[in-house]
Amino acid sequence: MSIRFRHRGKEWEADTPEEAVRLRELLAHKEYEDAQDYPEQEDWLIRSETVWTPDVLWAFVQNLGPQTAAAVKIILNAETISSGDLVKRLQVENEMALAGILSGISKQLKKLELRPTDLYTVSTVWAGKVRHRSFQITRGFALAAQEVGWHEEKEENAAATKRKHK
């Protein structure tokens, strides 16, 4: 029987009570080391409160398809990107196709009991009757991706992953 506990808003699991105690002590010690390793207080605070641990990040990205992974990487590597630029970078036909890709991302997040706002934010501005949307990755995801090196992996060519439908 596994033992589950929450530490700093994250759920952890251990196989035995002894392991749970050791893990809790390790987490407390790691927090102290993290404070020393990450002198920027804000990054340390974000790391301690984000849902994105290395395990959660890998569970998420390993289940992404090529287009959804490419979309996440494009948003991650851009400080802010407009929906129009994201459509161009993904080489999809229009924003309806982009909506399908974002839906795929949302489905993978839901499997982990996460929301799209845990991954990215969307800003919407209206200029008359024209809507302009822009996407920005959350700092927690960016820090976790940097920690595990996922941010450095090459963006996949989304156009080459499109499936031909007959």
Side-chain angles (χ1 to χ4, degrees):
M1 181 171 109
S2 63
I3 297 165
R4 293 180 184 211
F5 64 92
R6 293 187 75 73
H7 180 78
R8 293 260 183 200
K10 297 177 192 167
E11 191 167 309
W12 298 85
E13 187 173 328
D15 294 330
T16 66
E18 294 80 17
E19 185 180 313
V21 169
R22 279 195 313 268
L23 180 56
R24 189 86 178 207
E25 288 171 354
L26 180 65
L27 290 169
H29 182 70
K30 183 165 174 26
E31 282 177 4
Y32 175 77
E33 285 181 351
D34 285 350
Q36 305 306 312
D37 291 343
Y38 306 108
E40 294 181 25
Q41 184 73 18
E42 184 178 351
D43 281 358
W44 181 82
L45 183 61
I46 290 168
R47 285 178 193 274
S48 68
E49 293 181 353
T50 185
V51 298
W52 296 105
T53 63
D55 289 341
V56 172
L57 183 131
W58 284 122
F60 171 65
V61 299
Q62 288 179 342
N63 289 313
L64 292 176
Q67 278 193 315
T68 53
V72 172
K73 284 185 181 179
I74 290 168
I75 298 169
L76 171 64
N77 291 318
E79 188 170 317
T80 300
I81 188 164
S82 70
S83 58
D85 287 343
L86 190 52
V87 165
K88 289 176 190 169
R89 294 276 307 274
L90 288 169
Q91 300 177 11
V92 294
E93 292 133 22
N94 52 37
E95 289 202 21
M96 289 293 285
L98 175 61
I101 293 168
L102 296 175
S103 175
I105 292 169
S106 295
K107 287 177 185 175
Q108 292 307 317
L109 289 166
K110 189 174 183 176
K111 288 179 183 179
L112 297 171
E113 298 180 3
L114 299 174
R115 300 168 307 216
T117 55
D118 292 320
L119 177 64
Y120 61 85
T121 58
V122 181
S123 300
T124 305
V125 177
W126 288 89
K129 294 183 178 183
V130 179
R131 176 182 67 183
H132 298 280
R133 291 185 309 153
S134 59
F135 299 86
Q136 185 174 30
I137 211 80
T138 63
R139 186 76 179 131
F141 183 85
L143 289 170
Q146 181 180 15
E147 184 177 342
V148 299
W150 192 73
H151 72 296
E152 296 171 349
E153 291 183 19
K154 185 179 177 191
E155 290 175 19
E156 298 176 27
N157 183 350
T161 64
K162 285 191 226 174
R163 294 185 185 154
K164 302 284 183 193
H165 297 284
K166 292 184 180 185

